[in-house]
Amino acid sequence: MKPDTKYIKNGTINIAYQVFGSGPIDLVYIPGWVSNIDWMWACPELVSFLEELGKIARVILFDKRGTGLSDRVVELPTLEERMDDIRAVMDAVGSQKAALFGHSEGGSVSALFAATYPNRTISLIAFGIFAKRIYAPEYPWAPTQEERQVVYDMIENNWGSGEMDLESLAPSKANDPVFMDWLANYFRSGASPTAAMMLTKMNTQVDIINILGSIKVPTLLLQRTHDIDVKIEEGRYIAERIQGAKLVEFEGSDHLFWTGNTNEILEEIKAFILNVKPKPVYEKQLFTILVGQILSSEINIDKHKAFIKQSVENYRGRIIQYHKETFIATFDGPSKAVHCSMNMIGAIQNMNAQLTTGVHIKECLVGNPICQEIEGFKTLLLQKSMPNQILLTQTVKNLAAGAGVHFTQYKAIFETEAGESLSLYTVSDKPKHTIPPLRIESKRLLQNDSFLEKVLQNIDNHLSNEHFGVEMLCREVGVSQRQLQRKLKAITNKSPNKLICSVRLHRAKELILSQQKTIAEIAFLAGFSNPSYFSKCFKKEFAISPSDLIS
């Protein structure tokens, strides 16, 4: 019997979740690519698997942001945001500590959660996990750029149709039309074409290699030897880098754990859950560390300290050290630290001062995250950085994929305590990949029937028309103003007017970065008749003026 669907709000995003089962421990299932927790219960094979887990655990299911029954989003969801959704759902059901079961991409997110919140993680179970999703010399089993483009083209042209090559995910079910029809419906109901494309491009940027050594919880990795979606070498590579991890290889080539030899997989998971003995308390966990220095001829200590403290807390961070000109703060993830830095730099300039920050990720003592490596990073920042600059280590860059910022490699290198040489990067703001391409064929729009795509396309079509507003948009997409308001609020958490303005500004930003026209010309092209008002709106949206962006 399908459990009730409930919602928890994480920030402005509603996350759908379900709870069932009567076992003594909590088990959070983190699905792969896309999901729909209602449609899960329409597949007998998956229902049977979940119900067996429900006999030994209280099972918690949820749809990640942008998919299934959860709110749609208009920007790439970062790995960190998806990790934070796990925490929000656990809080909603009163789960202080849970075993995590992640499938495919869900395993990557689960691994980051286990490293960041070990004292909320009983154990980590992952099926078909990957550490990177794009080829690299040190990780040669991942798809190449050309192979990823094939996936993009499939989503662009065949999303949810019979031409998705879904048989490669479950070869054992290739001749089962009922199952394959359910799988196609599951994906269609899990994400629109735009959402599926955003998630796929986000996954291409995933790189958790540098945090694998920070996972200390009991870990079970499961994979089929001939899985063509995630190579078995990837599972072996990951198992070698997680302390004490157990890798179990199964015969077969299905990427879905609920098809093929499911009984073997289920018994392995149940035995692991029932027999694992986690540590009562972990002394270390993964921290994102922000180091900052205020540069001013007249340091107003109290004013600056109050501002820095409030800014850090706004991003769920914590100040752990503050001196006259320097401070150190910790965050749950890199995106929060990066965006906090960007906002602080702009505001500090208005106080007639300058700020430089650096962000690093390090496994540290829970009670005292400041260690020799962090002090070394602080020294490097003070010696090598420039005013109003944000420096990131390569580990931070890898985990901040999708955060809507641009990375440029820096001239310096940071040497860690372990003797590893990490490249450094500077950060600058850039338009998030939130809007689909400017021109989408109307035939494909009708075929995909994506309401958000239709709205965005119509805004694009009237981009330079300053009189284009909610009334005209309603006529174009064929809904009432009330329906438009309700649908856009549910999908994007923005009002129609705010979405129109946001699309105009993002388009303008793309034009500014191309440096082919003047700011005044771009303002008119984006539907702003007053360049001064355009600059005001632009700075409010991006925390930087058009002229400063050009500089």
Side-chain angles (χ1 to χ4, degrees):
M1 181 177 176
K2 183 174 74 68
D4 293 336
T5 299
K6 299 181 179 179
Y7 284 89
I8 179 64
K9 191 178 286 289
N10 187 13
T12 61
I13 304 297
N14 289 290
I15 305 299
Y17 69 91
Q18 296 173 351
V19 182
F20 67 95
S22 55
I25 68 169
D26 289 341
L27 173 69
V28 181
Y29 169 53
I30 301 94
W33 193 21
V34 299
S35 65
N36 184 302
I37 54 177
D38 271 358
W39 265 96
M40 287 181 187
W41 298 94
C43 175
E45 294 88 345
L46 182 52
V47 169
S48 176
F49 199 102
L50 293 174
E51 287 180 340
E52 284 299 311
L53 291 179
K55 294 176 182 179
I56 63 168
R58 182 175 71 143
V59 182
I60 303 160
L61 310 175
F62 74 99
D63 286 327
K64 68 170 71 78
R65 61 181 59 208
T67 68
L69 306 181
S70 294
D71 277 350
R72 296 295 191 257
V73 293
V74 293
E75 56 194 42
L76 287 173
T78 65
L79 208 63
E80 175 187 337
E81 287 173 324
R82 283 138 64 183
M83 174 188 74
D84 201 48
D85 289 341
I86 300 174
R87 178 202 57 76
V89 170
M90 287 177 63
D91 289 347
V93 301
S95 177
Q96 293 301 311
K97 204 165 189 176
L100 304 181
F101 174 29
H103 177 219
S104 193
E105 150 202 331
S108 307
V109 178
S110 303
L112 181 59
F113 186 98
T116 306
Y117 301 107
N119 288 310
R120 298 199 66 176
T121 308
I122 297 172
S123 59
L124 171 63
I125 305 165
F127 188 94
I129 187 176
F130 54 83
K132 283 176 70 76
R133 208 51 173 151
I134 196 70
Y135 172 88
E138 74 278 8
Y139 199 86
W141 317 284
T144 62
Q145 290 283 6
E146 292 75 18
E147 289 170 327
R148 292 304 280 169
Q149 186 60 50
V150 171
V151 179
Y152 301 155
D153 292 342
M154 178 276 292
I155 295 171
E156 184 80 11
N157 300 312
N158 303 311
W159 180 247
S161 74
E163 301 176 26
M164 286 180 67
D165 192 25
L166 298 179
E167 292 81 4
S168 64
L169 297 178
S172 69
K173 289 286 190 179
N175 297 319
D176 185 341
V178 175
F179 179 88
M180 298 311 298
D181 184 60
W182 169 84
L183 190 58
N185 287 332
Y186 179 68
F187 282 130
R188 275 196 301 267
S189 65
S192 68
T194 302
M197 183 70 82
M198 287 195 300
L199 286 166
T200 304
K201 290 187 174 181
M202 170 61 212
N203 287 341
T204 301
Q205 302 175 54
V206 166
D207 186 342
I208 61 168
I209 289 175
N210 290 339
I211 63 98
L212 294 174
S214 299
I215 299 172
K216 299 299 191 296
V217 303
T219 300
L220 173 65
L221 303 177
L222 309 165
Q223 192 160 346
R224 290 194 174 94
T225 305
H226 304 293
D227 187 338
I228 65 171
D229 193 65
V230 178
K231 303 293 190 294
I232 190 62
E233 289 84 0
E234 301 183 62
R236 295 168 183 167
Y237 176 95
I238 294 168
E240 289 173 0
R241 284 157 179 77
I242 298 178
Q243 181 179 321
K246 177 184 179 182
L247 172 64
V248 181
E249 299 182 23
F250 300 92
E251 285 300 316
S253 53
D254 287 5
H255 184 60
L256 306 181
F257 61 82
W258 63 91
T259 59
N261 48 349
T262 55
N263 287 336
E264 295 177 54
I265 296 168
L266 189 57
E267 290 306 312
E268 195 71 45
I269 292 175
K270 288 165 66 175
F272 181 76
I273 290 173
L274 294 173
N275 296 320
V276 74
K277 293 180 174 59
K279 288 184 180 180
V281 177
Y282 289 89
E283 295 179 351
K284 290 185 174 183
Q285 71 179 56
L286 201 65
F287 282 99
T288 297
I289 310 287
L290 185 153
V291 178
Q293 181 186 29
I294 299 173
L295 308 170
S296 175
S297 57
E298 298 180 2
I299 294 287
N300 188 329
I301 297 177
D302 292 337
K303 182 180 179 181
H304 290 158
K305 185 175 182 179
F307 168 74
I308 295 294
K309 181 176 183 296
Q310 185 61 56
S311 297
V312 168
E313 289 177 353
N314 287 344
Y315 286 85
R316 293 186 48 227
R318 181 171 67 94
I319 297 288
I320 57 174
Q321 184 186 93
Y322 201 104
H323 294 316
K324 182 180 178 182
E325 297 179 354
T326 63
F327 64 91
I328 298 177
T330 62
F331 294 83
D332 293 338
S335 299
K336 295 184 183 71
V338 170
H339 285 295
C340 180
S341 294
M342 295 171 71
N343 286 342
M344 288 193 297
I345 284 175
I348 285 289
Q349 286 178 302
N350 293 331
M351 299 180 187
N352 297 319
Q354 295 176 316
L355 176 67
T356 183
T357 65
V359 185
H360 181 42
I361 289 182
K362 170 69 177 171
E363 184 185 0
C364 305
L365 290 170
V366 173
N368 181 23
I370 301 177
C371 60
Q372 184 177 344
E373 183 168 308
I374 298 305
E375 291 290 358
F377 182 66
K378 177 180 176 182
T379 300
L380 180 143
L381 179 77
L382 300 182
Q383 292 175 348
K384 302 290 186 180
S385 63
M386 302 290 289
N388 305 320
Q389 186 178 62
I390 305 169
L391 287 184
L392 306 179
T393 59
Q394 186 169 351
T395 308
V396 177
K397 170 187 171 289
N398 292 342
L399 293 176
V405 294
H406 178 67
F407 306 106
T408 303
Q409 191 161 353
Y410 198 55
K411 55 192 175 185
I413 297 291
F414 177 56
E415 299 287 343
T416 68
E417 284 181 302
E420 184 181 10
S421 297
L422 294 179
S423 298
L424 292 176
Y425 295 81
T426 57
V427 175
S428 61
D429 190 16
K430 74 168 187 177
K432 293 185 179 181
H433 301 292
T434 60
I435 311 298
L438 280 173
R439 292 288 169 254
I440 304 172
E441 294 179 9
S442 58
K443 181 179 178 181
R444 187 172 69 79
L445 275 176
L446 293 172
Q447 181 183 7
N448 290 330
D449 194 28
S450 167
F451 179 75
L452 180 57
E453 277 190 314
K454 289 180 181 178
V455 169
L456 295 175
Q457 178 68 77
N458 275 284
I459 297 173
D460 273 330
N461 290 342
H462 299 277
L463 197 67
S464 60
N465 180 2
E466 64 177 292
H467 301 296
F468 180 78
V470 176
E471 188 175 341
M472 289 179 65
L473 180 58
C474 288
R475 288 200 300 268
E476 293 280 350
V477 297
V479 296
S480 67
Q481 290 195 28
R482 185 173 181 180
Q483 286 177 310
L484 183 70
Q485 175 83 22
R486 177 176 55 80
K487 286 189 173 186
L488 289 184
K489 189 69 175 176
I491 297 171
T492 70
N493 203 37
K494 290 179 181 287
S495 68
N497 279 322
K498 285 186 177 180
L499 182 63
I500 292 170
C501 184
S502 182
V503 172
R504 291 184 189 279
L505 291 170
H506 277 80
R507 287 287 180 260
K509 195 171 185 183
E510 292 172 6
L511 292 170
I512 289 172
L513 290 173
S514 71
Q515 297 184 347
Q516 295 178 352
K517 297 182 182 295
T518 67
I519 291 175
E521 288 173 329
I522 290 170
F524 290 126
L525 285 173
F528 291 86
S529 59
N530 186 328
S532 177
Y533 178 66
F534 164 72
S535 296
K536 181 180 178 181
C537 294
F538 191 94
K539 188 167 185 178
K540 183 178 180 180
E541 180 84 5
F542 302 113
I544 187 173
S545 68
S547 56
D548 286 341
L549 181 62
I550 290 174
S551 301

